[in-house]
Amino acid sequence: MQVSFEKAYTLLNIAQKQAVDSTQGPVMVIAGPGTGKTQVLALRIAHIIDQGLSTADGILCLTFTNSGVTAMRRRLRTYIGPDSAKVRVSTFHAFGIELIEKYFHVLGKSTAPTLLDEDDAVVIADDVLESNTWSHLRPRGDGAKYYRELRGLISFLKREHIGAPNFQDMIETEIVAIRADPESVSSRGPTKGQLKKDALGRIEGLERTREVIGFYELYEAEKTARHVMDYDDVLRYMTDIVRESEDACADLREQFLYVLIDEHQDS
């Protein structure tokens, strides 16, 4: 059943109405779970269209999950009816893949890389682990579990835009800082002047982490050789494209007058 924008708008509180009414410049809605952020976003889209500030196809709404896309489409159908199908509602990854398929040359690639599924990613990781010598990183009984631990760290590094050389520098800096910290040195007993056990333990852990850098580099090289990308690559390539290509930015600005993001904290 379609509900009018006006009726839904009257049920908003003052702060929510302010967010819906603010159509110029950046707007961020900060609120806890279950407080109506997605509702506000849908009504803001309806308001933009109702005020003639953009046609439905000039609005891009991004979220991180397919369930988020479904929920937003359902709300938009309620408030703006058939025109809701023209609003571009997409996950970040689906939108990113389209961008990569169009602008792969900006990334220095001859064709768009293929998206890896999780099983294929595990196979590549196993190949890297099995075909190289490691002091600490060795496939164990549950290879998939070990892969997930490595993958989790690599995923974090990619999200933070930390490359292997940067990660190496961070590790070396931390080791130097531990050795130079007076609190790391024993001041009494037979170990006076030597590093304490906890300091040695932290350094040993960091040295083990050095091998992750080697895995990281080999894993990325193997993906490049196979012309594939994983889900973290999609987000990285997507941001690289808009950083490097004025043409891509111009096309996006021409296509979309408004960009709205649901669950922005996940980005």
Side-chain angles (χ1 to χ4, degrees):
M1 180 180 68
Q2 185 172 341
V3 177
S4 70
F5 162 76
E6 291 80 7
K7 182 177 180 180
Y9 180 84
T10 61
L11 301 177
L12 300 177
N13 62 37
I14 294 174
Q16 290 172 327
K17 288 178 180 178
Q18 183 180 13
V20 169
D21 294 341
S22 299
T23 56
Q24 301 299 317
V27 175
M28 180 178 288
V29 176
I30 302 174
T35 54
K37 296 187 297 296
T38 302
Q39 172 85 339
V40 166
L41 196 66
L43 288 172
R44 189 164 184 261
I45 292 172
H47 179 62
I48 289 168
I49 295 171
D50 183 65
Q51 294 296 304
L53 300 173
S54 173
T55 55
D57 59 3
I59 299 173
L60 170 64
C61 181
L62 296 172
T63 186
F64 267 86
T65 63
N66 289 323
S67 60
V69 169
T70 300
M72 179 57 67
R73 289 195 183 282
R74 183 171 59 249
R75 290 173 187 270
L76 290 177
R77 280 196 301 270
T78 299
Y79 300 133
I80 62 179
D83 273 354
S84 63
K86 299 177 184 178
V87 177
R88 179 64 191 278
V89 184
S90 173
T91 64
F92 269 94
H93 288 94
F95 187 74
I97 289 169
E98 289 187 15
L99 204 62
I100 292 164
E101 289 175 344
K102 185 174 182 179
Y103 296 103
F104 58 83
H105 60 278
V106 175
L107 304 169
K109 299 183 181 297
S110 57
T111 58
T114 303
L115 182 65
L116 274 176
D117 63 27
E118 191 65 18
D119 290 342
D120 290 334
V122 172
V123 169
I124 292 178
D126 281 344
D127 287 346
V128 171
L129 288 169
E130 291 285 359
S131 58
N132 294 275
T133 301
W134 310 95
S135 297
H136 305 289
L137 304 182
R138 291 194 180 99
R140 300 176 181 176
D142 183 359
K145 177 181 183 299
Y146 201 60
Y147 161 73
R148 286 193 293 271
E149 293 170 354
L150 288 168
R151 186 71 186 83
L153 177 57
I154 292 173
S155 180
F156 169 78
L157 294 174
K158 286 185 179 180
R159 289 197 305 271
E160 297 299 318
H161 290 272
I162 300 172
N166 303 112
F167 191 38
Q168 173 75 34
D169 290 343
M170 291 168 65
I171 291 173
E172 299 303 331
T173 299
E174 184 63 19
I175 290 175
V176 170
I178 292 171
R179 292 186 180 279
D181 185 356
E183 294 296 323
S184 298
V185 181
S186 177
S187 60
R188 65 185 65 181
T191 60
K192 183 177 180 180
Q194 299 177 19
L195 289 174
K196 296 177 181 177
K197 284 186 178 180
D198 66 324
L200 289 172
R202 287 186 302 168
I203 290 172
E204 183 181 352
L206 289 166
E207 288 174 342
R208 286 198 300 268
T209 305
R210 281 177 173 152
E211 278 203 343
V212 176
I213 299 169
F215 174 84
Y216 186 4
E217 292 176 328
L218 290 170
Y219 176 72
E220 293 300 300
E222 189 64 26
K223 284 192 304 172
T224 299
R226 301 188 190 196
H227 207 61
V228 295
M229 61 181 174
D230 58 30
Y231 281 97
D232 289 317
D233 291 327
V234 172
L235 301 183
R236 179 165 61 93
Y237 289 160
M238 166 181 196
T239 54
D240 287 347
I241 286 169
V242 295
R243 281 196 181 104
E244 299 295 331
S245 175
E246 286 295 332
D247 288 341
C249 290
D251 286 349
L252 289 171
R253 293 188 186 108
E254 184 176 351
Q255 188 175 359
F256 302 111
L257 293 176
Y258 288 89
V259 178
L260 300 97
I261 300 174
D262 197 13
E263 303 295 345
H264 185 271
Q265 72 275 5
D266 291 336
S267 64

